[in-house]
Structure formats: C-alpha cells, structure tokens
Amino acid sequence: MPGPAPSAPLGGPLRRGVGGFWRPVSWDEAVGGVAADLAAVAEAGGPGALAVYAGRSAGTAASRAVAFGRTLGSGRVFAWREADEAAFASAAQRVLGHPVRLVPDPERAVHVLRIGAAPGHPGPLRSCPDPGCGPRRSLTIAHPRPGEARTRLALRPGSEVFLVLGLAGAILARGWGDAQYLRDHARGGEAAAGALESWTPERCAARCGVPPDDLLAEALRFARAPMAVALTDSAIFRTPAGSLLAWSLLLLHAATANLLRPGGLYAPPPSPGARTPGPLGRRIRSWATRRLPPVQVVGSPLALLGPPSSPRALLAAGGLPTDDYGPAVAPLLDHLDLIVLIGTPVGDPHPRARWILPSAREPGGRPTEDVLGAILEHLLGGGGGPGPGWRLACNEASVLLQGGSRRLRERVLSPRPAPGAQADRARWDVAHADGRLHLDPPPALCDLSDAPSDPALPLDLFAGEPEAAPGSLPSARIHPSSGHADGARVSIVTPSGSFEARIRWDTDLRRDAVEVSPLPRQAGDLDALDSATGEPWRHGVPCHILARPTRNRKRSRP
C-alpha cells in the first residue's frame, strides 16, 4: 500500500522508502541513487529496458532528455510535441521512410488551403490582387467560422480528414493530378486511388457539411495551381484519425507534385556549414561513431511503453504520459518496476514512482538539464562533468526534434547522397531503399467510418482562440439558433465528463458547432486515442448543452 503523497512545495529531492512513505534526501544521494537504479535495470534487461519520456512541461529540457536516452543506447525515447508534429512524423515515416519534419511554404505558393485555422491571418495568406505585392495568391479557408476569404468552406469540426480524403480522391479519380510525378517519384498511387474510390466527393462533403460542388471546385483549384500548399492548425490532429489526416495531406501534395518542393510541403535544408566540420568537429564525430548508438525515437507513448517488449523503468522529465495523453495509457505504467520523476508536477505520484527530483521552478529544485547531466555523469563514470559526447548529444537532439532522425545521422556521422540519387530534385529527402515515395494506404483507412454521431450528443466541440480577458468560466460560442440565451450559464456534456461555460452568441459559426475557449481537460474523449500517435480525441468531440436550472431567490424582508 503506497504511503501518503508528498506535500507541495517539495523543498528538495524525495525517495520512496519502506512502507511507501516519502523521505527527503540530499541531491548527491538522489543523483547517485537514480543512477544506481537505472544501471541495475540496464544490467538486468539491457538498454531497451529503460524508457525516456520528455513531457509537455519539459520545455527546453526536452532535447536533453532525448539526448540522455540516446547516449545510453535506449531504443525507447519519446518527446511530447504538438499533435500535428506527432501525426506528421507517423505519416512521414510511412511515406518518406523517416520522421522528417515537413514545412509548408506559403510564401511561394500560388494557392493556399487553410484548414482548421482561425480567420484573418496576416501576411501572405490573404488574397493579393495588386501585382506589386508578389505572386497573385488565392486563399481558401476551411473552418467552422470561415471568416473573410474569397473561397470559404464552413467545415464541421472534426471532419477535416474527410475533406482531405475527398480532395485527394477527386484529384486521383479524375486525372487532375501530376501523373508524371507519380510515375517517376512514387509508388502505391494506384493502391491509394483504389482505396479512395468509396470515399466519393458526395460522401465526404456530406460528412463535412459542405456542398459537393464546393469540394470539387477546391480540388480543381488545388490541382491546377502551379504551386499549392495546405496549412493546418495543430488542433485538427487531436482526433482518433489524426495520423490518417496527416497521411491524406501527404497524399494530396504528392498527387499534385507539391510534396518535397518549395511552394508546397518541403524539407528545409540543414543549417549552413553543418557538413563541413573542423578538427574539433571531426574528433567529436569520431567519438560519436564509436560510442553513440543509432538514433531511435518512437512515435507515440503506446510504442514507448507497449509491446512487444515492455520496458522495466521510465525516466520522465516534464510530466508523465498520463498527464499529456489521459488515463488511457495508465495501464502501461502499471507494468513498470521503477519510475523516476524529474521536473514533473507532482500531485498524487504513481505507485511505481521511486524518485522525485524537483525542477528549478520549485523551492530547493535544480534545472532539469543539470540533473540529467549529473545522472549521466554517474552512469558513464566520468569526472568533472559530462564530456563532449554529452554536449554533442544535447545539441544534436534538438536537431532530431526539428528535422528527423535520418538528417541527424547524416550530420553526426559521415554524409551520404540521398537514396535513389534523384539529382533532378531540388531537395529530395526520402529514406526508402528505392528512393521513392510510398503512398500505399494505411490500415487506419479501412477502419474509418462516417457514421453519424450519437443523437444524444448532436453538437461538435472544438477549441477556440485564447481570450484577451478570460473570465472565471470558459466561453462557449454558439449560433443564436441554439435556443440558449446570450450570457447564460450552461453545462456542456462530453464523453469524458461535463464542465460549466458561459454562452456567447456568434452568428458566423456553424449551427452544429460549439467553440470553447479555453478548452478544459474534461472536454473531450480521453478513451478514444489515435493508434499511431496516442493523441486523445479533443477536436470535433460530440457534446450536448444543458441549461442550468434557475434558482428562485426569496425576497428578504425589509
């Protein structure tokens, strides 16, 4: 039976002792004890028995946590990042062969499709009829509140995957794409087109709540533009189909020859001088070649802690997976023998937690980066602080988070030409052995359903922009036709619970959409996860609004 939870603020490191009670320890004892426990786990089960998790609160220490696991040779390292980065990493692993980070290039695009973003974005996203302001751009906004744009698609929240599948399917079926590009640089295009035959524009448009002709018109605009790109907001990937949405976006850009090229989605080049190291860089690279294992970063907390061989210990910096991804991943923590919490907000520690090392934000704490470095010093048996290998791992880990594991290996180890020797491509970044894009549809496409939601939850909930002056209750913006009075206090029911909000009328919003700002933790479905990224359902969640009963106050006597 675990002992009582530690009180906050901690005041220094804590260790769980006999009977489950926490006792304060010195920093030297904490660092040495954590290193000894991790060494025992690695000796018994190998480096794969140790998992490293950099959570939402890790901040700048995320790269150091990744470097920590990388230096020890663990194949189980995960850094929390925005939902779109995790989804795109999963899709890029399938299409490009490695989780490279792709960057949209609206500056050079002729047509921009903005999905799920708030209207009124400044800069090059606006249509510009003046020839002196650069290329003439057309803009389409797909959002529950389309705003001011030449072309608007009033999309249902959570239906973005159906929009992109409908666009890609229409382009492939009607021959509007770049067939030469697909023949020369991709494989699996025929399989993707066949899998999308059942997802007709009419079917996808019905799920999105837009006219089919508008969806077909946008598909034609995207395909016929010399350069086109789709911009997305991270919130739209927080659905059980988030990774499928990322794959469909890569397919849309590949079908129109806008993938891996400026003006569309492309891989940014490495920083200048990264491939010309000096004498010190060559010595560090030689050390890295001998000592550092291959980079392996998993794509989801499920892959971090799940089968086929579960780890025995978890070092968590900046939060546990349950803090960032909900209680659905909690059973995976129960199989661990040891959990080390570094810079992690502590409420009720997990029963498997043995060490708590506070961050510099708490009294008696230290920077998480310094704590990780001190533990690594004990593990590697060095003196006088971590050596150049640790600093190299820390610097290159930040590149890993931004640019993908293959580019990191190219920078640390000897550079090599891109697979397939595609000399005619401006920047070809494909790691498959054949040097081609793999567009074969993922299994998640077979499980996708457009069945209507529960009639008891007829509305779709999504997160809004942060308010300039937030009140005590979150604001729930709905169309006046909902029947709720402006300013009324209501309860919003979702699959993961209910919360109170204040009604705000918005005539530009879809009638079946509810925009809440800020979105509370219980607003969503934390049991419905994306199988590839582990993201819970937090966008387009079915909900219902209940009016709070009015209390009759008795008039006091004079």
Side-chain angles (χ1 to χ4, degrees):
M1 186 72 179
S7 59
L10 302 179
L14 299 178
R15 186 190 191 281
R16 192 191 296 270
V18 179
F21 289 89
W22 294 92
R23 65 178 180 88
V25 297
S26 66
W27 273 104
D28 291 339
E29 181 181 353
V31 171
V34 170
D37 287 347
L38 296 180
V41 170
E43 183 178 357
L50 171 63
V52 178
Y53 178 81
R56 187 189 303 259
S57 302
T60 57
S63 60
R64 301 298 180 94
V66 172
F68 184 95
R70 176 174 179 262
T71 306
L72 295 182
S74 174
R76 293 179 178 269
V77 181
F78 179 80
W80 181 90
R81 52 179 73 89
E82 288 293 335
D84 57 344
E85 295 186 12
F88 268 110
S90 172
Q93 180 70 51
R94 181 178 187 86
V95 176
L96 305 177
H98 64 122
V100 64
R101 182 172 181 260
L102 297 175
V103 178
D105 186 16
E107 294 286 348
R108 283 173 281 196
V110 177
H111 177 69
V112 176
L113 168 62
R114 183 157 184 143
I115 307 175
H121 190 282
L125 299 186
R126 294 185 182 274
S127 302
C128 185
D130 185 4
C133 69
R136 183 182 181 91
R137 295 181 180 89
S138 62
L139 170 65
T140 298
I141 293 181
H143 189 268
R145 187 194 296 105
E148 296 181 2
R150 183 175 301 176
T151 307
R152 299 178 293 177
L153 297 174
L155 210 62
R156 288 184 61 183
S159 66
E160 291 81 5
V161 63
F162 300 99
L163 171 68
V164 182
L165 287 176
L167 296 176
I171 290 172
L172 290 173
R174 287 162 172 77
W176 293 345
D178 194 321
Q180 186 68 38
Y181 178 91
L182 295 179
R183 284 194 299 267
D184 293 345
H185 304 298
R187 78 169 202 186
E190 297 84 359
L196 295 182
E197 286 182 353
S198 60
W199 293 100
T200 62
E202 293 75 16
R203 182 183 179 185
C204 293
R207 183 62 179 83
C208 296
V210 300
D213 292 343
D214 291 352
L215 190 148
L216 283 172
E218 176 57 29
L220 188 60
R221 275 191 296 269
F222 199 95
R224 288 293 182 259
M227 290 184 292
V229 66
L231 299 183
T232 55
D233 182 21
S234 61
I236 69 174
F237 294 93
R238 294 187 172 98
T239 71
S243 58
L244 180 60
L245 171 60
W247 172 83
S248 61
L249 283 166
L250 296 187
L251 176 64
L252 174 65
H253 289 85
T256 55
N258 287 296
L259 184 60
L260 292 182
R261 76 162 182 175
L265 285 179
Y266 76 107
S271 58
R275 295 177 180 272
T276 57
L280 176 61
R282 286 193 292 270
R283 289 199 300 271
I284 293 178
R285 190 177 65 188
S286 176
W287 184 94
T289 305
R290 298 193 308 268
R291 295 289 300 275
L292 293 182
V295 179
Q296 295 183 12
V297 177
V298 298
S300 72
L302 301 179
L304 178 74
L305 302 171
S309 58
S310 300
R312 308 311 309 164
L314 173 66
L315 186 144
L320 280 171
T322 49
D323 299 330
D324 302 329
Y325 292 94
V329 297
L332 299 176
L333 299 176
D334 297 334
H335 299 289
L336 297 170
D337 298 331
L338 167 67
I339 296 179
V340 179
L341 303 177
I342 302 178
T344 297
V346 177
D348 185 11
H350 194 276
R352 298 291 187 270
R354 188 181 305 174
W355 296 93
I356 298 178
L357 282 67
S359 68
R361 295 187 296 268
E362 302 181 49
R366 293 184 179 179
T368 302
E369 298 90 335
D370 296 344
V371 176
L372 291 170
I375 296 174
L376 189 68
E377 178 186 350
H378 277 70
L379 288 170
L380 299 181
W390 166 243
R391 290 193 294 270
L392 170 72
C394 293
N395 295 335
E396 295 298 337
S398 62
V399 180
L400 168 66
L401 295 178
Q402 298 174 2
S405 59
R406 175 174 162 267
R407 181 175 295 110
L408 175 62
R409 288 197 297 270
E410 290 180 352
R411 291 187 60 184
V412 175
L413 307 179
S414 58
R416 58 186 177 86
Q422 300 289 346
D424 58 327
R425 302 296 301 163
R427 257 189 309 275
W428 194 245
D429 204 356
V430 178
H432 288 300
D434 57 2
R436 298 163 69 87
L437 303 169
H438 290 192
L439 302 178
D440 305 274
L445 184 59
C446 301
D447 302 329
L448 186 65
S449 172
D450 60 343
S453 58
D454 186 355
L457 303 173
L459 304 176
D460 296 314
L461 179 68
F462 71 102
E465 292 295 317
E467 295 183 332
S472 57
L473 290 178
S475 297
R477 298 179 181 87
I478 60 175
H479 196 272
S481 62
S482 63
H484 297 279
D486 188 22
R489 188 171 179 174
V490 298
S491 295
I492 300 181
V493 181
T494 71
S496 288
S498 61
F499 62 94
E500 294 184 0
R502 185 79 64 183
I503 292 295
R504 293 287 182 264
W505 281 355
D506 191 336
T507 57
D508 296 330
L509 201 62
R510 282 183 57 98
R511 297 174 183 268
D512 53 2
V514 181
E515 182 182 22
V516 174
S517 175
L519 197 63
R521 178 178 175 83
Q522 63 268 37
D525 190 345
L526 301 183
D527 293 327
L529 304 179
D530 189 308
S531 59
T533 66
E535 280 291 334
W537 194 359
R538 298 269 292 174
H539 176 72
V541 182
C543 69
H544 177 55
I545 298 180
L546 294 178
R548 291 176 56 85
T550 304
R551 297 180 180 179
N552 295 325
R553 297 182 179 180
K554 296 182 179 180
R555 298 180 59 185
S556 59
R557 295 181 179 180

